[in-house]
Amino acid sequence: RSGVEWWVQVRRAGQREEDIGMHWDKDETLVDSQGLNVHPQVSTVTYLSDYGAPTIIVDKTPQVQYDETADSYGPVEEVWLSLPIPGKHISFDGRLLHGAPSALAAHIRRIADLHPSKGGICRVTFLANMWLNYHPVGIDPFPDSYLSRLAPPPQDHPPARSGTGGRGAGGGIGAIG
């Protein structure tokens, strides 16, 4: 019953949809039908472009009952920020509050003058949530008929840069760099 939920997200500069507000990854259908927050074990972001807002991750987890989520806001102990660099991959506890608010993009663009964008004016990410011993309601398995269309990565592809940030053996953030 375990699996991975994945998608590609493209956010264009200057459009209302550019903003990725702060949120918790969760089984959306279960929230709608039962009012319960169930989260993936691990959430990941892989950057496919170097444009747009950084991912911000906050050490806040929500209540189990969705209607009590407002009680989860307040002071924070730790915040992690990950700049978009093509090939960079981050993983973190799927219960943590996170987003990529477009308001941060303008501030980061000033800093990023040291690393000019080569990826155009789109923030492109590959996102995957790992669910262990649980299958989100309403998520269909990947169709077998599409498997033959997938190709392995090219052999001459350079390895992605990785970081070493995080909390170590206790879990939490991984590969922030």
Side-chain angles (χ1 to χ4, degrees):
R1 294 188 46 97
S2 299
V4 176
E5 167 191 28
W6 57 271
W7 63 102
V8 173
Q9 192 170 68
V10 177
R11 300 295 174 130
R12 294 188 189 337
Q15 293 184 347
R16 186 181 60 211
E17 295 82 20
E18 179 183 8
D19 189 66
I20 302 168
M22 299 301 289
H23 65 280
W24 284 282
D25 289 342
K26 59 193 170 295
D27 182 334
E28 300 284 350
T29 303
L30 191 63
V31 167
D32 292 343
S33 66
Q34 305 293 320
L36 297 174
N37 280 318
V38 175
H39 309 278
Q41 186 76 21
V42 177
S43 294
T44 73
V45 178
T46 304
Y47 299 96
L48 303 177
S49 71
D50 60 356
Y51 184 84
T55 303
I56 185 169
I57 305 161
V58 180
D59 71 339
K60 285 292 180 182
T61 57
Q63 304 293 321
V64 172
Q65 295 291 324
Y66 182 75
D67 59 1
E68 296 173 5
T69 298
D71 297 339
S72 302
Y73 296 105
V76 298
E77 297 275 326
E78 293 183 273
V79 175
W80 299 271
L81 190 73
S82 176
L83 298 176
I85 298 171
K88 181 178 174 187
H89 176 81
I90 63 171
S91 62
F92 54 94
D93 183 328
R95 299 171 299 164
L96 294 177
L97 182 65
H98 62 282
S102 59
L104 288 178
H107 299 290
I108 296 303
R109 281 186 202 118
R110 285 188 216 119
I111 296 167
D113 286 342
L114 301 172
H115 172 62
S117 177
K118 298 177 186 107
I121 57 169
C122 291
R123 182 184 196 270
V124 184
T125 51
F126 175 81
L127 305 146
N129 291 336
M130 281 85 179
W131 298 84
L132 300 179
N133 301 313
Y134 183 78
H135 183 273
V137 179
I139 301 292
D140 295 323
F142 191 75
D144 288 339
S145 60
Y146 288 113
L147 291 176
S148 63
R149 298 180 187 180
L150 300 177
Q155 295 301 316
D156 61 346
H157 191 295
R161 289 196 243 174
S162 64
T164 57
R167 295 185 181 170
I173 307 302
I176 301 287

